[in-house]
Amino acid sequence: MAFLSEDLVFGPIHSRRLGNSLGINLLPKVGKICTFNCVYCECGWNPEHRNEQACLATPSEYEETLEKALKELAGTPKEPDSITFSGNGEPTLHPDFPEIIDITIKLRDKYAPGAVISVLTNGTKIHDTKIFRALQKIDNNICKLDGGTIETINKVNLPNVKINLEQYIEDLQRFEGQVIIQTLFLRGEHKGEKTDNTTDEEINIWLEHLKKIKPRKTMIYVIDRDTPEKNLEKLSSDEMSKIADKVKALGLNVEYYS
């Protein structure tokens, strides 16, 4: 079953990576809008037909909704540790994303100054200067890198836009280390074709990317919810620990979730 967010602002929920997390879903509750169609995505497969401008909240609607939520949570045990943009697809696809980030910073500072602002993004819009600058303003810009080679990334993420991996790594370097890389490791099959980002070759190339990016943190994790592709394998804690050790050997900060 696809896990879709039905509200513009939802939670807080407990996140294994971000603590007490107030979720932000800038995309329609009726279905996913994304430039990726990841085999493991908890939101399910992308719909074949969608109106990308349908049902999107305006900045004023967003401001009103977030302010109401933060007012209610301020000073309570549920006051968020993180205001987290995730939801039904890729949050940076919202046409007013930069303005919405500015609104979030203003309201966070007023009602929940102890909270960080986090954006979970697949990174396909960071070449856009306005998106890049918006992500520079927040605490946790968490960008996806689910493989070392473009062949594996295409198999795992099934992008519906052309990915220039070399350019993407260069764009991530522009953050000058103020970026978090997230990678989900898995093995399996999709439509009879092997999907595996855990081979020695793949991990070694992925590590070379990390050496160039120098992220302030790398988050590696495994499947945690139902996936649209059922022929996938969840890695063991021991396997994840070994991958984490390779990142640590580069002198980089890494967290793993299994």
Side-chain angles (χ1 to χ4, degrees):
M1 178 183 292
F3 180 82
L4 294 172
S5 302
E6 296 187 353
D7 298 304
L8 177 59
V9 177
F10 59 96
I13 59 175
H14 178 72
S15 166
R16 55 182 176 161
R17 290 180 284 171
L18 298 169
N20 200 30
S21 176
L22 185 66
I24 306 296
N25 173 40
L26 297 180
L27 304 169
K29 64 182 181 181
V30 294
K32 186 170 73 167
I33 294 177
C34 197
T35 46
F36 279 4
N37 200 20
C38 300
V39 294
Y40 59 78
C41 182
E42 64 188 36
C43 295
W45 298 118
N46 290 349
E48 292 183 8
H49 304 287
R50 65 184 187 274
N51 180 352
E52 295 197 0
Q53 299 303 315
C55 306
L56 298 183
T58 65
S60 60
E61 290 170 337
Y62 169 73
E63 182 168 6
E64 180 181 353
T65 304
L66 180 60
E67 184 167 28
K68 181 177 183 292
L70 289 177
K71 273 185 178 179
E72 291 175 353
L73 295 169
T76 75
K78 291 186 177 181
E79 186 171 311
D81 300 313
S82 176
I83 301 169
T84 307
F85 289 78
S86 54
N88 303 338
E90 174 51 43
T92 63
L93 291 177
H94 193 290
D96 299 308
F97 180 78
E99 182 180 354
I100 283 170
I101 288 296
D102 288 339
I103 290 168
T104 307
I105 293 170
K106 178 183 70 174
L107 294 178
R108 183 275 309 271
D109 291 349
K110 184 175 181 179
Y111 295 107
V116 297
I117 298 171
S118 308
V119 175
L120 305 177
T121 174
N122 63 26
T124 53
K125 294 281 287 180
I126 65 171
H127 64 278
D128 183 317
T129 300
K130 291 181 179 179
I131 301 297
F132 183 82
R133 288 176 178 168
L135 291 173
Q136 283 185 305
K137 295 178 181 180
I138 65 169
D139 307 278
N140 296 327
N141 48 331
I142 305 173
C143 295
K144 188 182 298 292
L145 183 63
D146 280 341
T149 65
I150 189 61
E151 291 79 14
T152 293
I153 287 170
N154 284 337
K155 288 180 180 179
V156 173
N157 300 133
L158 301 176
N160 54 42
V161 294
K162 183 174 176 58
I163 304 298
N164 182 327
L165 182 55
E166 183 178 350
Q167 183 61 56
Y168 181 52
I169 300 303
E170 290 180 7
D171 288 337
L172 290 169
Q173 288 177 273
R174 290 171 57 215
F175 284 113
E176 297 180 341
Q178 295 306 306
V179 64
I180 297 172
I181 296 299
Q182 61 169 342
T183 303
L184 188 146
F185 284 103
L186 57 78
R187 289 185 291 267
E189 285 189 3
H190 175 63
K191 293 186 176 180
E193 192 170 357
K194 186 178 179 182
T195 302
D196 187 353
N197 62 0
T198 71
T199 65
D200 288 342
E201 178 185 8
E202 196 67 33
I203 290 175
N204 286 338
I205 298 172
W206 175 77
L207 290 168
E208 289 300 314
H209 295 326
L210 293 185
K211 286 165 66 175
K212 293 178 182 178
I213 300 163
K214 297 181 175 65
R216 66 179 177 87
K217 184 187 294 182
T218 300
M219 294 177 171
I220 61 175
Y221 57 112
V222 297
I223 295 165
D224 190 46
R225 288 184 171 146
D226 286 344
T227 59
E229 173 55 67
K230 302 305 179 186
N231 297 311
L232 301 177
E233 177 185 343
K234 178 177 179 178
L235 269 67
S236 68
S237 180
D238 183 59
E239 288 177 287
M240 294 297 289
S241 178
K242 289 177 180 177
I243 296 172
D245 286 343
K246 292 181 179 181
V247 179
K248 290 176 186 176
L250 300 178
L252 298 174
N253 184 19
V254 61
E255 295 177 355
Y256 75 93
Y257 306 86
S258 57

